Every structure is written in C-alpha cells, then in structure tokens.
Amino acid sequence: MWPKLTEENFLDVFLDYVSVNYVHHISEIENTCPYDLNLGHDDKVWQQVLVWYSCERKDHNGLTILDKFVNHFVDDERFRKKLLQIKDITYDKFLIRKPPDERNIIFATSLSDGRDYTIEVMGTMQHVYTKDRSFEGRIHPWYNDGTYRTLGLLKLMMSKEEQFEEEGVFTLKDARKLRWRLFGRYQEQAESITIASKPKSTTLLKQFPIGWVNSICISLKINKKLLKKEKIKKIAEVLTTPSSLKFIVDGLSENQKLALKLTLEKDGIIKHSILCKRVGDDDTDWYWDDVPNSVVGELRRLGLLIVGKKIIKNRNYKVAVIPSDVAAQLSRYL
C-alpha cells in the first residue's frame, strides 16, 4: 500500500516502487547507464543507475517509467504536469555563485553554456555547497518561479582556492588574511596614541596617520594639498571657531549629539567600550576612504572624537576623547 503522494514524498515513493518492481531488469542493463559508475560504493552505483532508469531511459514507445507511473497513479492534472517536469533533466557542471539560503536555494552558473540557475539543493548536506565550489549532476525544473531542483547523485568539487590551499600554495585568501592582519596592526597602533589630561586637537592630530588627517579634511572641506602641519592647523581652526563649530553641530544626528554629551559628562574622555554600548559599535577601520555608518565613526571623521589609550586606575584603556579646545565651547551648541 503506497502512501498518499505529495510533492515532497513523490520521488522517494516512486523510486521505491521502481526498485521493487524493476530490480531484475535494472541489474541486466546497469552497464548501459551513460553516467559515471566509478563511485567506489555499490549503494551509490545503484542510486545513479536507478535515477537514470526511472526518469530518463525511454522504452520503444518513447515513455519513461516516470511517465507510466504518473499516468497510472496520479489523477490531478496540475500535479501530473508538475511531476513530469522531473523528466526535463539538465546534466552539467555548475559553479556556485551564492551559497544556500534559508530555503536551501543556491545561485549557480552552468560551466558549459554560462546559463544562470536558481537551484534547490536536496538532501541533508546543503552546508557543503559554498560559494566558488562547483558540482556535477542533474537538475530539473520544479517551481513556478523557474527554480530547479537537484536530482540523484551530485559530485562536489572544491574551489580553486581550496585546491591551492590543499596543495600548500599561497592563495588570494591567504594574501587577504595577511593584508587585514597587517592593517589591523596598523590601526591598533594608530588608536594607541597616549591621551593626556585636557589634550588639544593639534597635539592629538599630530599623531594621526596622514590618511586619517586627509579624511577629516574632506569632511570639513579643507584643502588636502596643504602640508600635514597646515592641515592640522586648519582642522583646529574650524573646530574651535564658534560659527563653524555651530554649523557642524547643527548638522549632527541626535545620536551623534548624545555621544558627544556622554563624553562631555565624563570630562571629555570616555571609555570607548562604554560609549559604543550606548550609541552602537564603531565601524572605523584602517582605511578612512570609506564613509562610516556608525555614530562614533562619523564623529571621528569630523575630528570631534579621537580614539587613543589612557591609564585609568592603573589600567590602560581604549578611550574616546573630545579635544579640550573643542570641548571648551561644544556644550553651548548641543
């Protein structure tokens, strides 16, 4: 007695039916299967042959076993039409462009003709279908939006990068890791400047990398072609001139103003971790060319907050500081 057929159980029920009723014939013609049978395991060979025999091999009337099963056991026309899509098999090698989403659907490109597919990956090993890996196997149309489904055995291949790593070759991935490790170290050094009591903006900015000074100049519309010393002087002038400081503060968001108020409440110096807990993480990285999205990052880009290290109760903390010459008149505009 077969269970009620559904879209989800159909293939299992159908293949069980074929296994029981056609086992002897399958064994006789197994060697005519056009697919790779050097799979190292009898169960895999059987699965490869079974799917081919059931869904692709045609008899002298041009019918597959799938045709016959659906015609005999399925009455609903819509359901029949959907099930018969399984016959429209594409066998190819596919390069994975996007890994499985929450529905186990990947985005992949055919390596034979460059056609793009959205494909639902069946089975329980979806996590191995990562970006830049490829796989060889069958897919067939299934969903109304054009999404395909995998069918039968799939042969997964490592990405070129993974192959290089296995062979001990220095890869692009390795280079990226090394690059970000170095830049992380540079950033850590740049954020470790010593913060004295009541530090002025010029004193702090002198310790900045030139790239960071240039980015503040861009934010404050100061000429980048000046010498570093002149740039720092101009930044300090803009941030301490009442009219220009008021103009900058008037353009800040409420969260940015809150961050400055919290820092002023701590005499202009606040632990970086405490500030980020209140107003969100700091997304500043070594490259200041990218516009930040965080409150702290945007204030740093304006020169209103500077990050460094300060000893508090015998411990060295990462802190955010408002330069003392800026803090002296900032509160009147907040």
Side-chain angles (χ1 to χ4, degrees):
M1 182 70 179
W2 302 105
K4 181 180 178 181
L5 294 174
T6 67
E7 292 184 8
E8 296 310 313
N9 73 8
F10 172 79
L11 196 60
D12 289 335
V13 173
F14 168 59
L15 293 178
D16 284 345
Y17 167 85
V18 177
S19 297
V20 170
N21 291 278
Y22 295 89
V23 59
H24 296 301
H25 192 221
I26 293 174
S27 299
E28 291 172 2
I29 66 168
E30 175 181 315
N31 292 333
T32 65
C33 177
Y35 296 111
D36 180 17
L37 299 181
N38 294 315
L39 302 172
H41 198 288
D42 289 344
D43 288 345
K44 290 183 178 180
V45 173
W46 172 253
Q47 187 179 354
Q48 184 84 299
V49 175
L50 177 62
V51 172
W52 161 72
Y53 181 86
S54 305
C55 304
E56 296 180 82
R57 181 182 176 276
K58 297 178 180 179
D59 64 13
H60 61 280
N61 293 316
L63 297 176
T64 65
I65 304 295
L66 176 62
D67 286 307
K68 298 174 184 178
F69 184 90
V70 170
N71 288 337
H72 187 73
F73 292 106
V74 180
D75 295 324
D76 181 84
E77 187 59 33
R78 186 202 63 80
F79 193 25
R80 285 163 51 85
K81 185 176 180 181
K82 179 153 194 174
L83 295 176
L84 290 175
Q85 290 181 113
I86 297 174
K87 293 192 307 174
D88 298 331
I89 288 170
T90 298
Y91 186 93
D92 208 336
K93 290 182 180 179
F94 302 90
L95 177 64
I96 300 168
R97 300 293 189 184
K98 291 182 181 178
D101 61 15
E102 66 278 1
R103 296 170 54 209
N104 295 325
I105 291 175
I106 64 172
F107 181 74
T109 300
S110 163
L111 293 178
S112 65
D113 61 13
R115 180 179 170 184
D116 293 329
Y117 294 87
T118 52
I119 306 168
E120 181 183 16
V121 181
M122 305 303 291
T124 59
M125 298 290 288
Q126 287 86 351
H127 64 279
V128 303
Y129 293 89
T130 58
K131 185 178 182 295
D132 294 330
R133 285 183 173 178
S134 57
F135 69 92
E136 180 178 351
R138 307 174 185 89
I139 63 172
H140 65 79
W142 191 245
Y143 292 105
N144 292 334
D145 64 359
T147 298
Y148 282 62
R149 255 189 182 180
T150 58
L151 176 67
L153 292 178
L154 302 179
K155 182 179 179 182
L156 186 71
M157 282 79 81
M158 293 187 296
S159 67
K160 290 182 179 180
E161 199 167 82
E162 288 174 319
Q163 293 175 33
F164 287 147
E165 285 181 348
E166 194 171 75
E167 295 168 5
V169 178
F170 189 75
T171 68
L172 178 60
K173 185 177 180 180
D174 295 325
R176 287 173 180 157
K177 287 180 180 177
L178 178 59
R179 179 172 176 263
W180 285 112
R181 193 178 301 128
L182 287 172
F183 290 153
R185 190 178 304 161
Y186 296 154
Q187 183 177 348
E188 185 178 354
Q189 291 173 353
E191 292 179 342
S192 296
I193 60 176
T194 300
I195 304 297
S197 297
K198 305 298 181 183
K200 290 188 176 182
S201 52
T202 52
T203 303
L204 294 169
L205 291 171
K206 285 177 183 177
Q207 303 177 72
F208 265 28
I210 186 61
W212 291 16
V213 173
N214 285 340
S215 292
I216 295 175
C217 286
I218 292 171
S219 297
L220 299 180
K221 296 180 171 51
I222 295 170
N223 186 358
K224 285 200 312 177
K225 295 181 179 180
L226 300 173
L227 296 174
K228 182 179 180 181
K229 182 178 180 180
E230 295 170 331
K231 292 174 186 175
I232 290 171
K233 183 180 178 181
K234 286 286 185 181
I235 291 171
E237 287 177 1
V238 170
L239 294 179
T240 56
T241 299
S243 58
S244 57
L245 180 59
K246 182 180 185 303
F247 179 80
I248 293 168
V249 173
D250 286 346
L252 299 179
S253 69
E254 291 304 312
N255 279 337
Q256 290 169 340
K257 292 177 182 179
L258 173 62
L260 294 175
K261 289 176 184 177
L262 291 171
T263 307
L264 288 173
E265 288 172 3
K266 298 291 184 179
D267 294 326
I269 300 176
I270 189 171
K271 291 179 183 177
H272 185 265
S273 59
I274 292 176
L275 183 60
C276 290
K277 283 180 182 178
R278 293 294 304 274
V279 298
D281 292 338
D282 179 2
D283 63 354
T284 303
D285 60 21
W286 171 250
Y287 280 113
W288 276 32
D289 296 334
D290 297 329
V291 177
N293 294 311
S294 67
V295 169
V296 175
E298 290 170 338
L299 292 173
R300 291 178 67 176
R301 199 64 54 101
L302 289 166
L304 293 172
L305 278 182
I306 290 175
V307 172
K309 292 288 186 71
K310 183 173 178 59
I311 295 176
I312 303 173
K313 294 182 179 179
N314 298 320
R315 290 188 61 183
N316 204 17
Y317 287 94
K318 184 175 181 179
V319 297
V321 56
I322 300 173
S324 59
D325 48 341
V326 180
Q329 51 185 312
L330 183 59
S331 59
R332 76 182 71 166
Y333 305 123
L334 290 171

